[in-house]
Amino acid sequence: MQSSTTYGDAGAAPITGHHSGARNINARDDRVAPGDIAVGVVIGRASEYFDFFVYAIASVLVFPAVFFPFADRLEGTLYSFAIFALAYVARPIGTLVFMAIQRHFSREIKLTIALFMLGTATVAIAGLPTYSRWGEWAIVSLVILRLGQGAALGGTWDGLPSLLALNAPEGKRGWYAMLGQLGAPVGFIIAAGIFAYMLSELSQDDFLVWGWRFPFFVAFAINVVALFARLRLVSTPDYVHLLDEHHLDAVPAREVIGNQGTTIVLGALAALASYALFHLVTVFPLSWIQLYDTRSMADFLVVQIWGAGLGIVGVLASGWIADKFGRRNTLGTLAALIALFAGFVPTLMDGGTSGQNTFILVGFLLLGLSYGQAAGAVTSNFRPHYRYTGAALTSDLAWLVGAAFAPLVALGLAANFGLGYVSLYLLSGAVGSLAALSLNRALEIRN
C-alpha cells in the first residue's frame, strides 16, 4: 500500500440406510442428461473460484495494509502470499478427511459440511479485527481461516467433472470436460468486478476500513445458492446410478496411491504449465502493479476482466480443439506456447500500459486454452474403482505443485532478481508438462 496507515476496525421416501442421504428426498423419474450435469459443474466451480479470487485479490489490495502494517509494502505482500498458499497445503488433507466422511455417511452430507465450512471461513475473514486491534492474533486467525478454506475446498469434490467427461456423447468429451473450467474466468470476473467497483466508489480509507469486507459476505451468499443447486442434482437416483455405473465413489487414499500413484503424479504434472500460468496472469500482476507502478488498480482490474473474457473464449475453444486433435496434443501444444510466452514476461511487464495490457490479454487467452483441458485429463487412465478418489488427489497435487506458491515465488524472484526469473519459473512449468506428457502417452482420452 502507498500509505503505512493502520486500518481498522409430496412426501419423502423413507431413508433406509446411512448412504441414502438427501437422494431420497429429491427423487425424480427423468434421466440426468450431460447438460444437467454441466449446469451443476459450472455453478459449483464458479462459486468456489469466486471465493478463491475474492481472497486472492484481497491478499494484494488489502491484507498487507490491514494485517501487516509493521512491514514495508513488499514484505507485507510476501507475508500475505505465504498465508495465501496455505489453503493448497490444507486441501489434500481436507480431501482425505471428507472422503472418510463420505464413506461413513453420504456424498450429500460431505458436500453440505464442506460448503458450509467454506462459506463460514470466508465470511469470518470479513469480520476479522485488524492488526491494530488484535495484534498477532489477527494474523493467527487469518491463518486458521485460510487453512479452513483449503480443507473445505478438498471436501467440495463431488465427482461431477469426471462424470461429465465420462458420460459425454462420443466425440464430445473434450467439449464437456472443459465446461467445469469455465468457473475460473467467471468467478474471476465477478470477484474483480466487485473489487473494481468498490475501489472506484470509495475512498482509500473507506475501502481499507470496511469496503473490502463486502465481497466476502457476497461469497457466503453465493455458496449457499451453489450448495442447493448441486444438491438438487447429486440427490437424484439417476445421478447416483451414473456414479455407480462409473464406479465414482470414495476409496481409501492409501489404496489409490499404492496402486496408481504414478498416474496421480503424471496427471498433475501434465497440467503444470497451465496451473503455473494461472496465478501469473491473475494474482502476480496485481501485486507487481500495486508495488511498482502508478496505474489505477480499479482500471487494471478492468483490463483483467477483459482478459478473463478472452479466457472464457479460450476455454470454449479448447473443447472443440481437443475433440478434433486430441487432449494430449492440445495440452502439449499449449505447454509449448506457454514456454514461448514465458520469454516475453520481462518485456511486456516492463513495457508500460500497452505492454502490461498485452501480457494480461494474451496470458488469459493462453490460460483459457490450456486450462480448459487441464482438469480430468487422466480420469480414464484410472481403473474404475480408483477413479473418483484418484481424480480428486490429482487435482489437489496439481494445485499444490503448480499454483500454491506461484505468487510468492514469482514476486520474490521479480523483486529481488528481476522479471527474467519469472520467465524461468513459468518455463519450468511448461517443461514439466511436456515431460509428463511424453512419459504418459495414455493421456489421450480413450473413447
Side-chain angles (χ1 to χ4, degrees):
M1 292 295 160
Q2 300 293 337
S3 170
S4 60
T5 306
T6 299
Y7 295 94
D9 313 274
I15 298 176
T16 57
H18 68 285
H19 290 288
S20 298
R23 62 185 60 149
N24 288 318
I25 298 174
N26 227 12
R28 66 184 186 187
D29 295 328
D30 54 314
R31 291 285 297 172
V32 180
D36 293 331
I37 302 172
V39 172
V41 170
V42 173
I43 292 175
R45 295 302 174 266
S47 68
E48 293 166 14
Y49 280 111
F50 177 75
D51 279 29
F52 163 86
F53 282 121
V54 164
Y55 188 97
I57 295 172
S59 291
V60 176
L61 303 182
V62 178
F63 295 164
V66 169
F67 293 106
F68 304 103
F70 52 84
D72 63 36
R73 292 187 303 161
L74 173 61
E75 287 181 349
T77 305
L78 291 174
Y79 289 148
S80 183
F81 282 167
I83 297 176
F84 173 83
L86 293 178
Y88 300 98
V89 177
R91 183 169 177 164
I93 299 173
T95 295
L96 300 180
V97 171
F98 281 100
M99 286 288 184
I101 292 174
Q102 178 175 328
R103 289 196 302 271
H104 287 87
F105 298 98
S106 72
R107 192 185 314 268
E108 297 91 339
I109 290 176
K110 179 198 80 166
L111 189 60
T112 301
I113 294 174
L115 284 174
F116 269 106
M117 180 176 171
L118 177 60
T120 300
T122 301
V123 78
I125 293 172
L128 275 181
T130 60
Y131 185 87
S132 64
R133 295 184 60 190
W134 269 22
E136 294 179 355
W137 283 108
I139 300 174
V140 171
S141 299
L142 182 64
V143 168
I144 293 172
L145 292 173
R146 184 58 176 165
L147 289 170
Q149 282 186 314
L153 279 171
T156 61
W157 184 258
D158 50 19
L160 283 173
S162 298
L163 184 62
L164 182 60
L166 295 170
N167 199 54
E170 187 172 348
K172 293 289 185 180
R173 284 181 173 173
W175 176 262
Y176 279 91
M178 67 82 192
L179 291 175
Q181 305 301 79
L182 286 171
V186 170
F188 181 85
I189 287 172
I190 299 171
I194 294 175
F195 271 102
Y197 176 81
M198 303 298 284
L199 284 169
S200 299
E201 297 299 319
L202 299 177
S203 67
Q204 180 82 338
D205 284 355
D206 284 343
F207 174 74
L208 289 174
V209 170
W210 61 268
W212 68 270
R213 302 176 188 271
F214 175 73
F216 286 87
F217 288 110
V218 175
F220 179 79
I222 290 178
N223 272 337
V224 173
V225 174
L227 170 62
F228 285 103
R230 292 164 78 176
L231 286 179
R232 179 182 176 274
L233 179 62
V234 304
S235 62
T236 62
D238 293 306
Y239 173 83
V240 176
H241 171 74
L242 287 174
L243 289 170
D244 293 339
E245 185 179 281
H246 291 294
H247 303 277
L248 292 175
D249 212 344
V251 297
R254 63 180 180 276
E255 185 179 340
V256 181
I257 295 172
N259 286 277
Q260 294 204 264
T262 301
T263 302
I264 293 173
V265 173
L266 287 178
L269 293 179
L272 191 60
S274 179
Y275 282 89
L277 181 62
F278 193 95
H279 283 150
L280 294 187
V281 298
T282 55
V283 184
F284 166 71
L286 271 178
S287 64
W288 187 258
I289 298 300
Q290 172 81 340
L291 291 167
Y292 300 112
D293 205 290
T294 58
R295 292 185 67 173
S296 161
M297 295 308 296
D299 291 344
F300 188 71
L301 281 170
V302 171
V303 174
Q304 288 193 301
I305 290 170
W306 282 106
L310 286 178
I312 292 176
V313 174
V315 172
L316 292 171
S318 76
W320 178 84
I321 294 170
D323 285 331
K324 187 173 180 62
F325 299 103
R327 176 172 289 174
R328 182 175 176 275
N329 290 334
T330 301
L331 288 172
T333 301
L334 266 300
L337 289 175
I338 290 172
L340 180 64
F341 177 70
F344 293 92
V345 172
T347 302
L348 294 176
M349 287 301 292
D350 272 342
T353 299
S354 60
Q356 293 160 0
N357 292 352
T358 301
F359 175 82
I360 294 299
L361 298 177
V362 175
F364 263 106
L365 180 60
L366 286 175
L367 177 62
L369 288 166
S370 60
Y371 191 67
Q373 298 300 313
V378 298
T379 296
S380 64
N381 294 352
F382 286 104
R383 293 198 288 274
H385 181 61
Y386 303 131
R387 187 172 287 146
Y388 179 82
T389 303
L393 293 176
T394 300
S395 177
D396 291 345
L397 183 61
W399 280 111
L400 179 60
V401 174
F405 298 96
L408 177 65
V409 173
L411 180 59
L413 288 174
N416 290 286
F417 305 105
L419 285 165
Y421 283 84
V422 179
S423 295
L424 293 176
Y425 181 81
L426 182 56
L427 179 62
S428 69
V431 170
S433 287
L434 291 170
L437 288 167
S438 67
L439 289 172
N440 188 12
R441 296 185 179 275
L443 265 178
E444 189 72 64
I445 290 291
R446 295 189 289 270
N447 288 305

